[in-house]
Amino acid sequence: MARTTRSSARLAAAGKGKPAAPAKKVQTAKKSKPSGPKKAKKKEAAAVAAEKPEAAGGKIVTIEDANNDRHSKLGASKISKAIGSKATVEINKEKPGRGNFVVRVSGTEEPVVELLGMKRPFPALKALDMDEVSENVLKALE
């Protein structure tokens, strides 16, 4: 069987060269679809999480990081690990602004950390000591 290429098919259509051989259809195995849509499962999980009673008397720690850099992701995970089960941690509940890193504790007026509008390579975020920030968050929880 001769190999069919785009140029040989074009030449055969123009009446030059050998005629192109018809391509054979290859049957592939059908993939099974998941039983339900993924979006519905995510919405259900979010609704269940919202209905859960908050830990530590209803305290919620909100972390807004713009996910621009690995430092913001590491900082958010360090803070959430340090808090543990003392409070509920919400990361990026709303879409954060570009270059922002903000940590808030419910029940306090001022955020624990507020870095807004940072430009790459985020020097203020890199200079931030996350252990100190997590201690400040724990103090604000009390």
Side-chain angles (χ1 to χ4, degrees):
M1 181 166 125
R3 182 173 165 203
T4 304
T5 61
R6 286 183 296 213
S7 61
S8 65
R10 190 174 46 227
L11 289 172
K16 300 175 185 176
K18 298 178 184 176
K24 291 185 178 180
K25 279 192 173 182
V26 178
Q27 291 183 350
T28 58
K30 292 183 180 180
K31 294 181 182 178
S32 62
K33 292 185 179 181
S35 60
K38 291 180 182 179
K39 289 182 181 180
K41 290 180 182 178
K42 286 182 182 179
K43 286 181 182 179
E44 288 175 17
V48 170
E51 292 173 4
K52 279 196 289 188
E54 283 81 19
K59 294 283 186 169
I60 300 172
V61 177
T62 306
I63 301 172
E64 298 174 16
D65 70 297
N67 287 330
N68 293 337
D69 198 14
R70 135 185 121 84
H71 294 285
S72 64
K73 293 176 189 174
L74 290 174
S77 66
K78 270 189 176 181
I79 292 170
S80 63
K81 284 180 184 176
I83 293 169
S85 63
K86 296 176 183 172
T88 304
V89 179
E90 295 176 345
I91 299 176
N92 291 342
K93 187 171 184 179
E94 298 174 3
K95 185 176 180 182
R98 183 174 179 154
N100 294 348
F101 185 78
V102 182
V103 179
R104 289 189 175 95
V105 177
S106 65
T108 59
E109 283 132 35
E110 293 189 18
V112 177
V113 175
E114 186 173 41
L115 302 173
L116 301 174
M118 292 182 289
K119 302 286 183 190
R120 285 187 181 268
F122 311 111
L125 184 62
K126 289 179 182 178
L128 196 62
D129 183 20
M130 288 301 164
D131 295 328
E132 185 179 321
V133 172
S134 59
E135 289 175 14
N136 293 341
V137 170
L138 289 173
K139 286 179 188 174
L141 284 172
E142 294 174 355

